[in-house]
Amino acid sequence: MSLRFYDTRTRAVHDFVPVTEGHVGLYYCGATVQGMPHVGHVRSAIAFDILRRWLTYRGFNVTMVRNVTDIDDKILEKSALSFSDPDQLGPDYVADEQWFALAYRFEAAFREAYATLGVLPPTYEPRATGHMTEMFALIQRLIDAGHAYAAEDGSGDVYFDVRSYPAYGGLTHQSVDDMQDAGDADPRGKRDPRDFAVWKGHKDGDPLTASWVSPWGRGRPGWHIECSAMAGKYLGETFDIHGGGLDLRFPHHENEMAQSQAAGDGFARFWMHNGMVTFEGQKMSKSVGNTISPREMLEQAPADVVRYFLGQAHYRSQLDYSPSSLAEAGAALDRVKGFIARAAEKFGADALAGGEVSPAFAQAMDDDLNVPQALAALHETVRRGNAALAAGSDADADVALQAARQVAAMKAVLGLDDAASSGGSAEGPESVAFTQLVEARLDERAAARAAKDFETSDRIRDELAAVGITVKDGADGASWFFGN
């Protein structure tokens, strides 16, 4: 199977052929650093980290760009509140914090969260505040082409004229008349309420430090122009993949695509969007109280378990969190790590290096990065390897070694090794030891089932049941929990 990805714009899966043979240019939207990272941020980062790792495994030289939006209305609002009413902001904020200090502090928190969860650093991580020259040039190109105009009300705003560009709405398949108004500036300066700001004139009350001298007067950039300018600088006028969360399709990505293509750039050839994270089927909301942060997850489980959970669903699918999610992810990952540990003890850790992923894993990943099927292939390889280790013959040892090498390669592609040494765990040593004992018994049961020794398999299940542990067989192997 050739490498294939789903393109949001065409709403279809296509063969992936890069702009430049052997190279992939990948841009995905990073954070607006107004606060601590939430679970949606890190899910997106892990999804595109897995994509990058798979492209690299397939032999591509990947240039990864992830931006930082460090100037924005929300950043300025939070900074202003830190001076006027810091109690409104919550424990993650400090009093009397300038906007640039607030942005830099939260940027560091994002970088720490990414590193803890094994997300590789991007090739480039440009900040919006460092790319005014590129934004000026792009805005002027739009004005010259008749697709942008300076407001006539003296505000200093510059807007993209959505009706000047017939292809506007092509990413989300909307007509202009059906779109919501752009609420990024006072509509009195706009020709159409859906026109969006590419430059915002400086307003009384905003810090002077949050403005730059431009050809249209002192001000700051609109949100969407930042990404177009930075993507073009680091990846060229046409590049391979633009990614981000599903919530960014409109207006952010729609506006990015429109302004870049209206200026004459090809821009992204594939648009890839990851799904949202929900809490027991419901949208997460602070007002409802059904949220969980990456920080809270890392207090409950090691970093590799958190990464396994956040990366286990298909990137385009909704990922649902429940209070048992991390325990289930930990049990699944423990089976993988337990097999690797036993194989390393038998063959030596160095013997497991340099392997290739299983053919079933490769086929799944080539098919629009189908991680659920890839994980099924991973766990099937673990079961086969455990059975071979239990059998013990020379021929079975060869099977076990091949399985271990494949599992080690698959773990690396999924980024689980890079997250394994970081993060915390709420479990005490007794709980960890108990889990390892149960997993060892389940490995024995898996080997018995593979050998069609159902008497032994049933006996192990019954022994676990006698101490209150229920074993449930599924497509990815056996899971267990206390109670019935």
Side-chain angles (χ1 to χ4, degrees), residues 102-423:
L102 181 149
Y104 187 78
R105 183 167 60 85
F106 286 123
E107 180 186 339
F110 271 86
R111 190 174 293 117
E112 180 182 4
Y114 294 148
T116 298
L117 291 167
V119 175
L120 296 173
T123 313
Y124 304 106
E125 192 169 22
R127 297 187 183 102
T129 53
H131 293 78
M132 295 299 159
T133 301
E134 291 80 4
M135 295 182 218
F136 294 165
L138 179 54
I139 293 169
Q140 190 61 56
R141 287 166 61 198
L142 288 169
I143 292 173
D144 293 344
H147 295 300
Y149 61 93
E152 297 178 356
D153 62 356
S155 65
D157 295 341
V158 181
Y159 301 109
F160 182 86
D161 184 349
V162 297
R163 295 202 181 269
S164 74
Y165 186 61
Y168 185 63
L171 179 64
T172 53
H173 304 276
Q174 301 180 77
S175 70
V176 173
D177 292 331
D178 294 334
M179 291 180 183
Q180 64 192 47
D181 295 349
D184 55 359
D186 194 315
R188 68 188 177 199
K190 299 181 179 184
R191 296 174 182 170
D192 186 292
R194 282 151 287 223
D195 293 349
F196 59 88
V198 293
W199 187 256
K200 297 183 175 185
H202 180 67
K203 305 296 189 297
D204 292 340
D206 283 349
L208 193 61
T209 54
S211 64
W212 289 259
V213 176
S214 82
W216 313 282
R218 181 172 284 277
R220 54 191 171 88
W223 178 28
H224 317 298
I225 202 71
E226 301 172 359
C227 286
S228 286
M230 290 187 282
K233 175 173 182 175
Y234 294 98
L235 297 177
E237 66 175 28
T238 302
F239 57 95
D240 296 294
I241 300 171
H242 192 310
L246 196 63
D247 57 326
L248 296 177
R249 286 181 306 168
F250 187 87
H252 187 45
H253 289 169
E254 186 73 74
N255 292 351
E256 275 189 67
M257 187 175 83
Q259 65 199 6
S260 294
Q261 293 183 344
D265 294 344
F267 210 54
R269 295 176 65 178
F270 277 80
W271 288 86
M272 299 176 69
H273 292 95
N274 64 275
M276 300 294 99
V277 183
T278 56
F279 193 110
E280 294 188 313
Q282 301 296 316
K283 181 179 179 180
M284 289 192 185
S285 169
K286 289 184 178 180
S287 61
V288 176
N290 64 341
T291 63
I292 183 167
S293 69
R295 180 169 52 190
E296 290 168 329
M297 286 187 176
L298 288 166
E299 289 171 353
Q300 297 177 28
D304 55 349
V305 172
V306 176
R307 181 178 175 112
Y308 184 100
F309 166 68
L310 290 172
Q312 68 183 339
H314 193 286
Y315 75 92
R316 288 194 282 122
S317 299
Q318 178 177 289
L319 174 64
D320 193 49
Y321 174 84
S322 70
S324 63
S325 292
L326 294 177
E328 293 165 359
L333 187 56
D334 279 347
R335 295 182 63 77
V336 177
K337 294 194 292 185
F339 168 62
I340 287 291
R342 286 186 289 277
E345 183 177 359
K346 181 174 179 62
F347 303 112
D350 291 344
L352 308 190
E356 297 183 353
V357 304
S358 76
F361 183 97
Q363 183 176 8
M365 295 292 281
D366 281 346
D367 185 15
D368 193 29
L369 214 68
N370 194 328
V371 171
Q373 287 189 11
L375 285 173
L378 168 65
H379 287 288
E380 174 56 35
T381 307
V382 168
R383 287 194 292 272
R384 184 173 71 251
N386 273 326
L389 282 176
S393 71
D394 290 342
D396 289 314
D398 291 339
V399 172
L401 178 57
Q402 181 194 40
R405 286 168 60 85
Q406 288 178 337
V407 169
M410 291 184 272
K411 279 187 72 207
V413 165
L414 296 172
L416 296 169
D417 294 333
D418 290 335
S421 61
S422 303

